């Protein structure tokens, strides 16, 4: 007798235990819709709120943004803020009573410290700049102690924004011990 076929939606998924709002992801003035959509999907998969700060270089209802995020947008805790300063203030104000103030790590290709050396904590804020120019130079100079970089081996100037966010988020989750395998479950959400 042949074994019965299990459909894709019936197979267990590789899952870790869920953690509510383990990190905050901030995109400052994102310019490319598919990158923002991909980061939104990452945030839906990891439980990280997504904050969009400043002027956004596209309409949020744009087809490319929605397509990249697929049908996971209802699972994204999305916040839009007028400025980066407002973003940080709102994140601090929303923290649970008695919780420590979250730290912000600013990602740049010009950092002197690797993200691999960071001591991430629950609730920390991972900040990424525009695809074309990154974070404002004045901010990076003023907050140089808060900057982190992702080491690259090749000759490219920078990584794709969505890739950089994914690298940083998953390293932080790994360091927080949140990636331990939990019981698998069949796919039930979008």
């Amino acid at each position: 007798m042949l074994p019965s076929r299990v459909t894709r939606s019936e197979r267990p998924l590789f899952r870790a235990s869920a953690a509510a709002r383990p990190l905050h992801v901030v995109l400052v003035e994102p310019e490319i819709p598919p990158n923002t959509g991909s980061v939104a999907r990452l945030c839906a998969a990891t439980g990280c709120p997504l904050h969009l700060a400043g002027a956004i270089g596209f309409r949020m209802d744009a087809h490319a943004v929605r397509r990249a995020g697929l049908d996971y947008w209802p699972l994204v805790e999305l916040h839009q803020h007028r400025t980066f300063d407002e973003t940080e203030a709102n994140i601090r104000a929303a923290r649970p009573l008695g919780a420590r103030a979250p730290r912000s790590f600013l990602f740049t290709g010009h950092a002197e410290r690797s993200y691999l050396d960071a001591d991430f904590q629950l609730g920390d804020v991972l900040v990424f700049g525009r695809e074309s120019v990154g974070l404002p130079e004045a901010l990076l100079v003023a907050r140089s102690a808060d900057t982190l970089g992702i080491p690259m081996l090749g000759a490219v100037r920078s990584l794709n924004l969505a890739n950089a966010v994914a690298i940083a988020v998953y390293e932080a989750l790994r360091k927080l011990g949140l990636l331990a395998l939990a019981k698998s479950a069949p796919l039930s959400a979008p």
Side-chain angles (χ1 to χ4, degrees):
M1 176 176 254
L2 294 172
S4 64
R5 292 198 68 119
V6 176
T7 67
R8 178 177 289 259
S9 64
E10 295 172 327
R11 281 189 270 160
L13 296 171
F14 192 65
R15 296 275 185 222
S17 297
R21 307 175 95 202
L23 304 160
H24 293 267
V25 173
V26 176
L27 302 182
V28 177
E29 300 181 357
E31 300 168 314
I32 301 174
N35 283 336
T36 300
S38 293
V39 171
R41 185 174 181 174
L42 171 76
C43 288
T46 59
C48 297
L50 173 59
H51 301 266
L52 303 179
I56 299 170
F58 48 85
R59 290 190 355 239
M60 280 300 291
D61 62 349
H63 176 72
V65 175
R66 296 293 173 197
R67 185 170 157 247
L70 295 176
D71 50 356
Y72 297 107
W73 278 99
L75 302 176
V76 179
E77 182 184 333
L78 179 65
H79 304 273
Q80 288 186 256
H81 311 274
R82 289 180 300 228
T83 65
F84 175 62
D85 290 338
E86 179 182 290
T87 304
E88 285 189 308
N90 289 343
I91 291 171
R92 280 192 303 272
R95 74 181 185 269
L97 189 61
R100 69 162 183 79
R103 300 169 305 158
S104 293
F105 292 101
L106 286 61
F107 282 78
T108 174
H110 305 285
E112 294 184 17
R113 184 168 63 133
S114 170
Y115 79 111
L116 296 168
D117 298 327
D119 179 28
F120 296 108
Q121 296 176 17
L122 285 172
D124 280 345
V125 182
L126 309 182
V127 183
F128 301 84
R130 293 189 295 173
E131 289 91 341
S132 62
V133 296
L135 292 167
E137 187 65 27
L139 176 63
L140 294 173
V141 169
R143 306 267 300 267
S144 62
D146 301 330
T147 62
L148 296 175
I150 299 171
M152 294 183 290
L153 303 177
V156 299
R157 180 178 53 84
S158 63
L159 295 171
N160 169 276
L161 175 65
N163 291 340
V165 174
I167 290 167
V169 165
Y170 268 89
E171 174 62 9
L173 293 174
R174 184 191 70 78
K175 284 187 172 181
L176 291 169
L178 297 177
L179 297 179
L181 179 62
K183 184 175 182 181
S184 298
L187 180 61
S188 59

